[in-house]
Amino acid sequence: MVQSIFNATKLVNIYAYLGDVLLSRETFDQIPRKDTYTWNSMLSSYVRNGYYREAVNCVNEMLLASNVQPDFYTFPPVLKACRTIHDGTRLHCWVVKMGFQWDVFVAASLVHMYCRFGSFDIALKLFKDMPTRDMGCWNAVISGFCQNGNANETLSVVDDMRLEGVDMDAVTISSILPICAQKDDILHGMLIHLYVIKHGLEFDVFVSNAFIFMYAKFGKLECAQRIFDQMVVRDLVSWNSIIAVYEQNDCPHDALMFFYEMLGNKFQPDVLTLVSLASTIAQTRDSLSGKSIHGFSIRRCWIMEDTIIGNAVVDMYAKIGALDPARKVFEELSCKDVISWNTMITGYAQNGLADAAIEVYRMMKDCEDFTPNQGTWVSILPAYAHIGALIDGMRIHGQVLKVGIDTDVFLGTCLVDLYGKCGRLGDAMFMFYEVPRVSPVPWNVIISCHGLHGHGENCMQLFRDMLDEGVMPDHVTFLSLLSACSHSGLVDQGKWCFDVMQHNYGMKPTLKHYGCMVDLFGRAGQLDVAYNFIERMPMRPDASVWGALLGACRTHGNVELGKKVSDRLFEVDSENVGYYVLMSNLYAKFGRWERVDEVRSLARDRGLRKTPGWSSIDLHSRIEVFYTGNRTHSQHEEIYKELAILNAKMKSLGYTPDYNFVLQDVEDDEKENILTSHSERLAIMYGILNTPPRTPIRIYKNLRVCGDCHNVTKFISKIMEREIIVRDSNRFHHFKDGICSCGDYW
DNA sequence: TTAGGGTTAG
C-alpha cells in the first residue's frame, strides 16, 4: 500500500521511465485524490512512451475535472503529442485561456508544433511576439523548419539568431547538420565542424551522430569513422549510423561487421537497424541472411506495424532476385504506401519481368488510394522501354508534363531511354537536351541508344561533347561506347576507348568491358585476335566473355574454334541454354546433324529447355505476341496467306531462302515453311494487315533476329513500302526501301 | 526522472 499521493505519483513516473505505460496507468487509477503533479506525471508517461492519442485524451479529462488546475508543466509534453497526431488547435485555445501562452517552455512547444504542421506564418508570428526567448525557443523554430525539410528558411533563422549574438548550441548543430547533408554543402558542414571543436561540443552524442550521418552522405567514410572512433559514449543511433554509412557506400561487409560489434556491445537492434541491414543483405545477395532478417522482423511484429521495414524487406528480396517472397511480403503488408508499390514495380522491372511490373502498376492505378509519383514513373518507364511499349510510355510522358517535372534528371533519363529503346532516336535526342547533363548517366543512356541503332560515329561525337561539357565519364560510359563500336564495326575506335579508360581515367576494366572487346573483335571476324585477347586477360574470363566469342564463331562459321570455345565455356557455365543453342546452330550450319543431336541431348540431360522465340508488336495500345509457328491467333490464316504471296514476289526479285538458319534436318520445302513461320515475320505481317499503308511498323523480338529474316525484312520494306524497325535482344534494325541501316553488320 | 528545442531509414 503506497503511503502518500507523492509516493504513488513517484511510482507512476518510475513505471513510465521503465517503459511500462499500462502499469503506470494502473497506479495512476488507484490514486484516490489526484493532484496536478499526478496528472502531469501520467501525461508525460504517455508522451515519453509514444502514446500520443492517449495523452491528448488524458489532458481533456484533466481539463474537464473540477478539482484540479493545470500548471506550466502540463502543456509542453501534450503539445509534443499534438504535433505528431496533427491535432493541436483546440489545446492552443486552452493554453491561451489559462494564460500559459508566453511561458517559454509552452511557447517553444507551440512554435515547434506549428512548424511541423507546415503553418510557418503562425509559428513565426508567435516566435516574434514572444516577450522572452531562450535557446530552446530559437531551437524550436530552427528544428521545426529542418524537420519539414525547409533548408533555406532554417539557415535564415540561424543567421538571425547569430546576428542577435546568440551562439549555436549542441541542439542547434544537430538540427542543422542534416540540412548540410541534404544540400550536399560540404563547406558549411566542415565550418560547423570547426565551430563545434572550438566550442567544445564534439563530445555530445547527438552532434557526433549527426556528423557521422553527414559525412556518410558526402561519401567521406574516413571522417565518419574517425568521429565514431572518438566517441566516448555511443548510443543505438551511433551504431545504426555507422552501419548505414557502410551500407550506403556499397561496403556491405563492413556494415555487417559493425552490426555484429553492436550486438557484442549489448545493443538490441531496432527498426532502423533492420532497414539498413536489409539493404546490406540485398548487396551481398545472401538469401539465407535475408530470410533471417525477414524472420526477425516478423517475430518482433515490426513488419506488421511499420511500412518502412516492410518495404525494405520487399526491396531486399527483389534485389536478391527472390521475386515470389518479395511479392508475398508485399501482398501481406498491412499498410501499403506509394513506396511499397514503387518498390514492387522496380523489383520486377530490374529483374527483367516487365510484364509483372506493368501488372502491378495497373493494380496500383486501380487502387484509388494511391497517386503515382516521380518514383512510380521512374520504376515503370524502364519496363515499358524493355518491351517497346511506346504508346504506354508516351502516356506516362504526358502525365509527367502535366505535373511539370519533365526536367527531373531521373525521369528525363528514363524518357530518353524509352524513346531510344522504342526506335525514336529523334525524340530521345530532344528529351536528352531537355534534362540537366552534369551527371554521366543521361550521357550513358543516349550513347547506348545510338549504339543500339548502330550509329557508332554519333556515339563517339557524343563522347567528345560530354568531355567538352566537363562531364566525367564512368565505367558505364565506356561500356556503352565499346558496345556501340562493336555493333558498328569500329574496331580501332573501340581499341582507343579501351586504352583511354585505363590510361586517361585510371579505370580498371571489368569483365563486362573485356566481354565487349571480345565482341568487337569477334563481330569484325578477327576471331584469332579475340581468342588471344581472352588468353591475355588479367582475370578469369566468365561465360559472357566466352559466349561473345562463340557467337562470333557462329556468325563467321568457324566450327573448329567454336568447339574449342564451347569446351571452355561449358567449364564455367553449363546451365545457360543459350550457349547450347549457339553451338548446335553452328553445327547445323555445316549440316553436321550428328553433332547437333549430341549438343541437344547434352542440354536435355542437364534439364535445360530452349527459350522459345517470340516477337511482339504494340498496336492500338495492345501488345500482341507471336510465337514461332503460331497457328492459334485469330488472324493466323490471313497472315500465312499474305506471307505466301509475299514469298512469291520476293523470289521474283531475287530472294533465295537461306536454309543455314533452319536448325532441323528436314527437306527443303519444309525448311522454307519453317522460315516463313518465324515469329518476327508473323508480327510484321500482322502489323501490315492492321495499320494504314506507309505507316512504320515497330516490332520486338526476344532473341536475335535470324539472318534470313533480316534479309526478308529488307524485301518486305521495299515491296510493301514500309519502314520497319525491329528491336531484338541485341540491337535495332531499321529497314527502309530494301536497305537496313546496319549495313548488314550486326 | 512532472516541462520545451536535437541525431539514423524504405
Side-chain angles (χ1 to χ4, degrees):
Chain A
M1 185 68 190
V2 182
Q3 295 302 312
S4 65
I5 299 181
F6 181 79
N7 281 344
T9 307
K10 270 272 174 255
L11 259 185
V12 172
N13 291 327
I14 289 169
Y15 290 134
Y17 185 62
L18 295 174
D20 197 333
V21 180
L22 292 179
L23 213 46
S24 183
R25 177 76 204 207
E26 213 173 279
T27 315
F28 172 80
D29 285 338
Q30 284 169 6
I31 301 173
R33 285 183 304 281
K34 302 172 183 71
D35 60 9
T36 305
Y37 171 48
T38 317
W39 281 96
N40 289 349
S41 298
M42 191 60 235
L43 288 172
S44 39
S45 170
Y46 278 133
V47 177
R48 177 193 290 279
N49 292 289
Y51 287 68
Y52 302 125
R53 184 69 62 189
E54 288 77 1
V56 174
N57 293 340
C58 186
V59 82
N60 286 334
E61 226 181 297
M62 179 186 183
L63 292 167
L64 295 172
S66 53
N67 55 347
V68 65
Q69 284 296 312
D71 64 8
F72 46 74
Y73 282 109
T74 309
F75 295 104
V78 193
L79 286 167
K80 194 175 182 176
C82 287
R83 75 173 180 233
T84 314
I85 59 174
H86 222 272
D87 169 23
T89 333
R90 225 155 23 111
L91 199 67
H92 187 181
C93 294
W94 276 102
V95 167
V96 175
K97 207 164 129 191
M98 303 266 176
F100 292 112
Q101 161 135 282
W102 301 121
D103 174 89
V104 272
F105 279 50
V106 177
S109 306
L110 282 169
V111 167
H112 191 91
M113 181 183 79
Y114 282 112
C115 283
R116 294 286 290 274
F117 290 173
S119 311
F120 298 119
D121 294 344
I122 304 177
L124 282 174
K125 181 159 189 336
L126 268 170
F127 182 72
K128 287 200 175 115
D129 291 347
M130 280 182 199
T132 48
R133 287 186 205 128
D134 67 355
M135 212 46 230
C137 299
W138 282 103
N139 287 334
V141 69
I142 291 168
S143 69
F145 278 132
C146 285
Q147 288 167 11
N148 247 323
N150 295 54
N152 295 333
E153 289 82 348
T154 305
L155 296 178
S156 109
V157 178
V158 173
D159 284 344
D160 290 347
M161 180 175 100
R162 303 196 67 186
L163 278 174
E164 289 197 14
V166 182
D167 275 341
M168 301 189 286
D169 69 355
V171 177
T172 329
I173 305 284
S174 41
S175 302
I176 60 175
L177 284 181
I179 296 283
C180 297
Q182 180 197 316
K183 289 173 68 102
D184 208 20
D185 187 346
I186 301 185
L187 186 66
H188 271 97
M190 292 178 91
L191 285 173
I192 294 173
H193 200 165
L194 288 177
Y195 177 96
V196 162
I197 293 169
K198 194 172 154 202
H199 290 78
L201 300 171
E202 76 258 53
F203 297 109
D204 183 279
V205 179
F206 282 77
V207 169
S208 302
N209 291 344
F211 270 124
I212 293 175
F213 171 74
M214 183 193 78
Y215 280 122
K217 278 273 172 236
F218 295 158
K220 299 207 169 289
L221 299 191
E222 321 78 51
C223 296
Q225 183 67 59
R226 204 175 313 127
I227 292 183
F228 181 81
D229 290 340
Q230 286 168 356
M231 287 177 83
V232 184
V233 181
R234 299 186 185 115
D235 64 3
L236 184 57
V237 178
S238 324
W239 286 100
N240 284 349
S241 303
I242 197 75
I243 292 169
V245 165
Y246 287 100
E247 175 264 307
Q248 286 170 7
N249 285 281
D250 301 321
C251 307
H253 298 291
D254 295 293
L256 280 176
M257 196 188 78
F258 279 106
F259 171 64
Y260 291 122
E261 207 179 320
M262 170 185 135
L263 296 181
N265 280 277
K266 309 280 180 231
F267 279 95
Q268 278 292 313
D270 69 353
V271 173
L272 271 68
T273 325
L274 265 265
V275 170
S276 289
L277 222 48
S279 305
T280 307
I281 300 301
Q283 289 170 36
T284 61
R285 303 176 72 84
D286 172 5
S287 54
L288 207 62
S289 303
K291 281 185 191 157
S292 312
I293 300 273
H294 184 192
F296 190 87
S297 53
I298 293 173
R299 282 195 296 280
R300 294 276 170 111
C301 296
W302 289 342
I303 207 153
M304 298 302 296
E305 292 164 0
D306 191 314
T307 308
I308 293 181
I309 182 79
N311 294 346
V313 172
V314 173
D315 187 52
M316 176 190 74
Y317 274 129
K319 290 218 170 86
I320 291 174
L323 272 317
D324 290 341
R327 180 65 178 259
K328 192 161 181 291
V329 176
F330 170 76
E331 298 285 355
E332 289 169 357
L333 286 178
S334 54
C335 181
K336 292 186 185 67
D337 63 8
V338 181
I339 297 179
S340 319
W341 289 95
N342 297 354
T343 308
M344 197 63 242
I345 297 169
T346 310
Y348 280 126
Q350 288 185 345
N351 281 282
L353 300 169
D355 289 343
I358 293 164
E359 179 221 326
V360 175
Y361 175 63
R362 291 204 176 121
M363 281 164 60
M364 177 189 186
K365 282 203 303 184
D366 290 343
C367 274
E368 285 173 2
D369 304 344
F370 300 103
T371 317
N373 63 9
Q374 185 256 15
T376 319
W377 294 323
V378 168
S379 36
I380 193 65
L381 279 169
Y384 285 143
H386 185 77
I387 59 160
L390 177 65
I391 306 294
D392 288 310
M394 285 173 83
R395 205 166 282 138
I396 303 277
H397 191 175
Q399 294 176 46
V400 170
L401 283 170
K402 229 187 227 170
V403 183
I405 50 171
D406 51 315
T407 51
D408 173 88
V409 64
F410 294 99
L411 264 174
T413 306
C414 287
L415 287 166
V416 172
D417 186 52
L418 172 86
Y419 287 116
K421 287 218 176 97
C422 291
R424 300 263 188 148
L425 258 185
D427 292 326
M429 281 304 277
F430 181 81
M431 252 341 279
F432 174 70
Y433 285 113
E434 293 288 300
V435 298
R437 301 187 297 276
V438 284
S439 127
V441 181
W443 292 93
N444 297 348
V445 169
I446 193 74
I447 290 175
S448 148
C449 290
H450 279 275
L452 282 174
H453 288 265
H455 301 165
E457 291 292 359
N458 292 358
C459 296
M460 297 307 291
Q461 184 54 48
L462 279 162
F463 180 56
R464 286 189 288 270
D465 294 347
M466 173 180 183
L467 299 183
D468 287 346
E469 290 193 18
V471 181
M472 268 294 271
D474 63 6
H475 271 97
V476 183
T477 316
F478 287 104
L479 269 182
S480 311
L481 284 169
L482 290 175
S483 157
C485 291
S486 155
H487 285 135
S488 310
L490 304 177
V491 179
D492 289 338
Q493 283 91 327
K495 279 164 42 183
W496 178 81
C497 290
F498 194 67
D499 184 62
V500 163
M501 79 173 276
Q502 294 174 82
H503 298 112
N504 295 22
Y505 294 96
M507 292 180 197
K508 259 173 83 178
T510 64
L511 271 170
K512 285 188 177 165
H513 296 96
Y514 283 103
C516 281
M517 287 304 285
V518 170
D519 204 43
L520 174 81
F521 295 127
R523 276 177 210 272
Q526 302 179 14
L527 299 181
D528 292 334
V529 177
Y531 188 80
N532 291 332
F533 183 83
I534 299 181
E535 290 289 336
R536 288 201 312 273
M537 273 173 62
M539 60 187 89
R540 189 167 179 244
D542 70 351
S544 70
V545 175
W546 287 117
L549 185 51
L550 184 62
C553 291
R554 158 76 173 88
T555 310
H556 295 284
N558 188 331
V559 184
E560 285 67 37
L561 187 60
K563 174 78 184 73
K564 205 154 108 186
V565 170
S566 72
D567 288 344
R568 303 291 295 273
L569 179 52
F570 294 146
E571 277 172 25
V572 284
D573 183 359
S574 57
E575 299 293 314
N576 189 324
V577 68
Y579 299 135
Y580 292 87
V581 175
L582 260 183
M583 199 56 216
S584 74
N585 288 1
L586 179 52
Y587 283 130
K589 184 170 182 174
F590 290 90
R592 291 168 66 174
W593 303 109
E594 73 296 344
R595 290 286 190 171
V596 171
D597 285 343
E598 209 174 276
V599 177
R600 284 187 180 170
S601 62
L602 198 63
R604 227 184 351 260
D605 292 347
R606 291 182 176 160
L608 306 173
R609 286 184 56 198
K610 188 180 163 188
T611 314
W614 55 264
S615 300
S616 64
I617 178 164
D618 185 356
L619 223 59
H620 316 304
S621 279
R622 224 182 107 89
I623 305 227
E624 294 278 346
V625 179
F626 294 88
Y627 282 85
T628 294
N630 180 311
R631 288 191 184 273
T632 53
H633 190 272
S634 58
Q635 277 180 274
H636 79 265
E637 281 180 12
E638 201 183 345
I639 291 172
Y640 282 105
K641 197 177 123 210
E642 288 299 324
L643 280 172
I645 297 170
L646 199 61
N647 250 359
K649 283 188 190 161
M650 290 193 306
K651 281 183 180 164
S652 70
L653 288 171
Y655 162 70
T656 31
D658 186 345
Y659 297 141
N660 278 326
F661 293 95
V662 178
L663 307 174
Q664 291 96 326
D665 185 16
V666 289
E667 295 302 318
D668 282 2
D669 277 1
E670 184 52 25
K671 283 184 179 171
E672 189 167 341
N673 285 337
I674 291 172
L675 287 174
T676 309
S677 68
H678 273 180
S679 65
E680 44 272 61
R681 294 189 207 184
L682 305 181
I684 291 173
M685 186 45 80
Y686 175 79
I688 291 175
L689 289 171
N690 293 284
T691 52
R694 293 179 189 275
T695 24
I697 309 262
R698 295 163 198 278
I699 71 152
Y700 170 71
K701 160 102 198 227
N702 69 328
L703 306 171
R704 284 170 71 161
V705 169
C706 97
D708 191 59
C709 284
H710 188 269
N711 193 20
V712 161
T713 313
K714 289 200 289 186
F715 279 100
I716 301 180
S717 72
K718 188 164 180 67
I719 296 168
M720 307 303 292
E721 297 182 354
R722 294 276 194 148
E723 194 180 339
I724 302 171
I725 298 121
V726 181
R727 185 181 136 211
D728 68 8
S729 59
N730 196 30
R731 57 162 290 156
F732 273 96
H733 307 261
H734 200 131
F735 302 89
K736 205 174 172 182
D737 296 332
I739 297 168
C740 179
S741 63
C742 74
D744 300 338
Y745 185 95
W746 83 91

